[in-house]
Amino acid sequence: MSNPFPLIDALIDEPVTLINAFTVPVEESELFLHRWKDNARIMARQPGFLQARMYRSLVDAVELRFINVAEWESGKALDAARANPEFRASALRIVDDPDLHVTPRPVVYQAALEVQPGDLL
């Protein structure tokens, strides 16, 4: 069984963003999105979840076809969500599906700089 949660712990009480880039064969894109929506429904119910967006490349000939950006109230909230058995099972269905050949690359980030229109950097 694959591990959809490689070392991404960030056990802090401050906001974090999980960015997960996925390699997905172009012909498996719709199935992947269907499975990810199942996972997103579970994720959205977890305490501390703020929002998520899945980005899809406009170009077929790319390695990282999808990028998920999920914002959490804290690293601890994200860690607790990842420990939820329903959430884990849903993520495993994506990476262990024999009809999908998905490679996830999750990393947790914290905002380092924010730029707004008109900001003097």
Side-chain angles (χ1 to χ4, degrees):
M1 192 175 281
S2 301
N3 180 8
F5 306 110
L7 303 172
I8 60 171
D9 292 325
L11 299 177
I12 60 174
D13 286 320
E14 299 170 27
V16 297
T17 301
L18 170 67
I19 299 177
N20 197 350
F22 296 90
T23 298
V24 179
V26 76
E27 64 276 6
E28 297 174 9
S29 294
E30 294 309 315
L31 178 58
F32 169 75
L33 279 175
H34 178 74
R35 294 277 190 275
W36 187 84
K37 285 179 192 176
D38 291 341
N39 183 264
R41 280 190 275 284
I42 296 165
M43 176 176 45
R45 294 192 309 260
Q46 303 306 305
F49 172 80
L50 299 176
Q51 71 173 356
R53 263 193 189 146
M54 177 63 79
Y55 294 89
R56 180 184 198 158
S57 172
L58 295 175
V59 178
D60 285 344
V62 295
E63 179 181 357
L64 302 175
R65 176 161 315 289
F66 293 94
I67 296 177
N68 172 31
V69 178
E71 297 179 21
W72 291 83
E73 287 180 357
S74 70
K76 290 180 179 179
L78 171 58
D79 192 63
R82 289 175 49 233
N84 177 297
E86 182 184 23
F87 183 75
R88 290 185 73 79
S90 178
L92 286 172
R93 278 192 294 277
I94 293 173
V95 296
D96 287 343
D97 186 325
D99 294 326
L100 284 173
H101 302 87
V102 174
T103 302
R105 292 172 187 82
V107 179
V108 178
Y109 294 88
Q110 189 173 38
L113 179 65
E114 187 171 315
V115 178
Q116 302 290 325
D119 283 356
L120 299 175
L121 303 176

